[in-house]
Amino acid sequence: MFFTLPTLLTWARIVAIPLIVGVFYLEEFSPAHRNLFATVLFVLVALTDWLDGYLARKLNQTSSFGAFLDPVADKFLVCAALLVLLELGRVNALVALVIVGREIAISALREWMAQIGASRSVAVHMVGKLKTTAQMVAIPFLLFDGPLFGLIDTRLWGTWLLYIAVVLTIWSMVYYLQKALPEIRAKVR
């Protein structure tokens, strides 16, 4: 199951991350063009997250490896984009720290819960999906960093959506920790 179509799409998402970051080092393009290229790349890559899941279910090619790799690809994509946005001064360092820190903490929690045979207690929940959606909409707005269709201030909307994502990030972390705590207490005794 390492090389099914859904898994290849997930690998493509990981491979595309340096391209999104690298766009900002192409000095032969104007900042507006770099922003546009990075935004388009990010949106296309983010859409593969939906597509690989859809294809895995449709083609009956779900696998434990795919279930592992998919969230890893998402976390790499979000963290890389946040680091670029931080370097460009479009994201507050505390916002980036909360989001990246939560991803590390929940990944470690899930690994630990799997080791003690309680991974179901920290299975993906709707609040986690909402958090990811808010991030995946906010980040392209912040990458674009300009007026969209002459109507939408993408920096303003992206910033507000990222603040919403931070609230959902904290909420989801608390939720997962609350779900895991009874299992942790039971195993510690």
Side-chain angles (χ1 to χ4, degrees), residues 3 17 25 29 45 51 54-55 69-70 93 96 100 102 115 121 123 149 168:
F3 297 108
I17 293 167
Y25 295 95
F29 294 106
V45 169
L51 184 60
Y54 171 79
L55 289 173
L69 190 62
D70 186 66
V100 173
R102 181 263 184 211
Q115 287 178 357
S121 64
F149 308 120
L168 293 169

Side-chain angles (χ1 to χ4, degrees), residues 27-46:
E27 294 181 6
E28 56 271 10
F29 294 106
S30 70
H33 282 107
R34 292 191 297 253
N35 289 346
L36 177 62
F37 295 154
T39 303
V40 169
L41 276 172
F42 184 90
V43 169
L44 291 174
V45 169

Side-chain angles (χ1 to χ4, degrees), residues 88-146:
L88 295 170
R90 299 178 194 172
V91 169
N92 179 291
L94 184 58
V95 167
L97 181 62
V98 166
I99 292 172
V100 173
R102 181 263 184 211
E103 299 302 346
I104 293 168
I106 297 303
S107 293
L109 177 66
R110 284 195 169 121
E111 182 179 335
W112 185 21
M113 298 306 284
Q115 287 178 357
I116 65 172
S119 57
R120 286 183 184 248
S121 64
V122 287
V124 176
H125 185 265
M126 183 54 73
V127 71
K129 291 181 179 189
L130 290 172
K131 175 231 16 135
T132 300
T133 301
Q135 290 172 351
M136 294 299 199
V137 175
I139 289 171
F141 278 175
L142 291 167
L143 288 171
F144 188 75
D145 194 42

Side-chain angles (χ1 to χ4, degrees), residues 163-176:
Y163 286 142
I164 291 168
V166 166
V167 169
L168 293 169
T169 295
I170 294 167
W171 182 5
S172 68
M173 184 172 69
V174 168
Y175 173 84
Y176 291 127

